[in-house]
């Protein structure tokens, strides 16, 4: 399994130490309004990181399978302040991990407030359009008529 930090650094190939320190402070959340990992600004558990810059490139923390997602059409705005935009887009990924001792377990990662459809489509050369956004269609034909009660 390939495991990576979810944020792709924005500095170039030859970063200075100052670039690296600023990136770490920004990406680990030390400068975030909502708190940082692992303890938030109200001294409560905060099991995630906040990326507050629009357009920051992210990736999955590990290889896995997408089990749920939502891609909104556009950003939502707050009723009191139309300048504050937010997204209810998310992806949940299931990861299967095996330790060197052959112990297997699953864990999940959640990515919230992701780019809406209109912003992905407006990105240069469509570089922000994920593969899962492609439209796949399947047609089936079944001649069997099922009867009875289906329970799960």
């Amino acid at each position: 399994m390939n495991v990576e930090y979810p944020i792709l650094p924005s500095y170039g190939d030859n970063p200075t130490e100052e670039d690296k320190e600023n990136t770490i402070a920004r990406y680990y959340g030390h400068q975030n309004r909502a708190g940082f990992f692992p303890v938030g600004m109200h001294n409560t558990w905060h099991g995630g990181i906040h990326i507050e810059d629009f357009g920051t490139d992210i990736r999955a923390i590990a290889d896995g399978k997408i089990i749920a997602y939502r891609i909104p059409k556009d950003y939502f705005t707050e009723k009191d302040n139309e300048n504050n935009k937010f997204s209810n887009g998310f992806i949940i990924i299931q990861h299967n991990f095996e330790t060197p001792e052959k112990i297997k377990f699953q864990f999940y990662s959640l990515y919230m407030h992701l780019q809406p459809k209109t912003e992905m489509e407006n990105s240069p050369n469509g570089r922000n359009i994920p593969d899962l956004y492609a439209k796949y269609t399947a047609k089936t034909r079944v001649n069997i008529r099922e009867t009875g009660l289906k329970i799960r």
Side-chain angles (χ1 to χ4, degrees):
M1 170 182 281
N2 190 16
V3 178
E4 299 279 345
Y5 190 68
I7 301 167
L8 299 169
S10 58
Y11 50 72
D13 293 333
N14 299 314
T16 65
E17 288 303 314
E18 186 178 352
D19 290 338
K20 291 179 184 177
E21 287 178 21
N22 289 338
T23 300
I24 289 169
R26 189 168 84 232
Y27 290 158
Y28 277 98
H30 299 113
Q31 298 170 348
N32 288 167
R33 292 172 290 151
F36 51 91
F37 177 83
V39 178
M41 64 185 213
H42 299 294
N43 292 325
T44 58
W45 181 255
H46 189 267
I49 58 173
H50 284 257
I51 306 166
E52 295 187 351
D53 296 334
F54 279 92
T56 300
D57 291 336
I58 63 169
R59 62 182 164 210
I61 63 166
D63 300 335
K65 176 173 70 172
I66 295 172
I67 58 171
Y69 69 92
R70 176 189 302 133
I71 301 174
K73 182 174 175 149
D74 206 351
Y75 285 112
F76 295 96
T77 56
E78 291 182 1
K79 292 180 181 177
D80 297 340
N81 186 352
E82 292 189 10
N83 293 329
N84 289 342
K85 296 193 262 181
F86 66 94
S87 166
N88 66 352
F90 72 90
I91 293 179
I92 299 175
I93 301 176
Q94 174 184 325
H95 309 279
N96 295 311
F97 186 75
E98 185 174 338
T99 68
E101 292 81 23
K102 304 296 182 200
I103 299 170
K104 296 179 181 181
F105 64 92
Q106 288 181 341
F107 67 96
Y108 299 85
S109 58
L110 169 64
Y111 304 85
M112 298 171 44
H113 311 296
L114 301 176
Q115 277 185 336
K117 177 182 171 185
T118 54
E119 186 149 329
M120 282 189 249
E121 292 173 340
N122 292 333
S123 65
N125 301 323
R127 74 178 193 93
N128 289 347
I129 299 175
D131 292 340
L132 67 93
Y133 187 60
K135 294 182 181 179
Y136 299 103
T137 306
K139 291 185 179 184
T140 61
R141 186 184 307 181
V142 178
N143 293 329
I144 301 170
R145 185 167 188 206
E146 296 183 23
T147 58
L149 178 64
K150 293 182 182 183
I151 349 179
R152 235 177 139 166

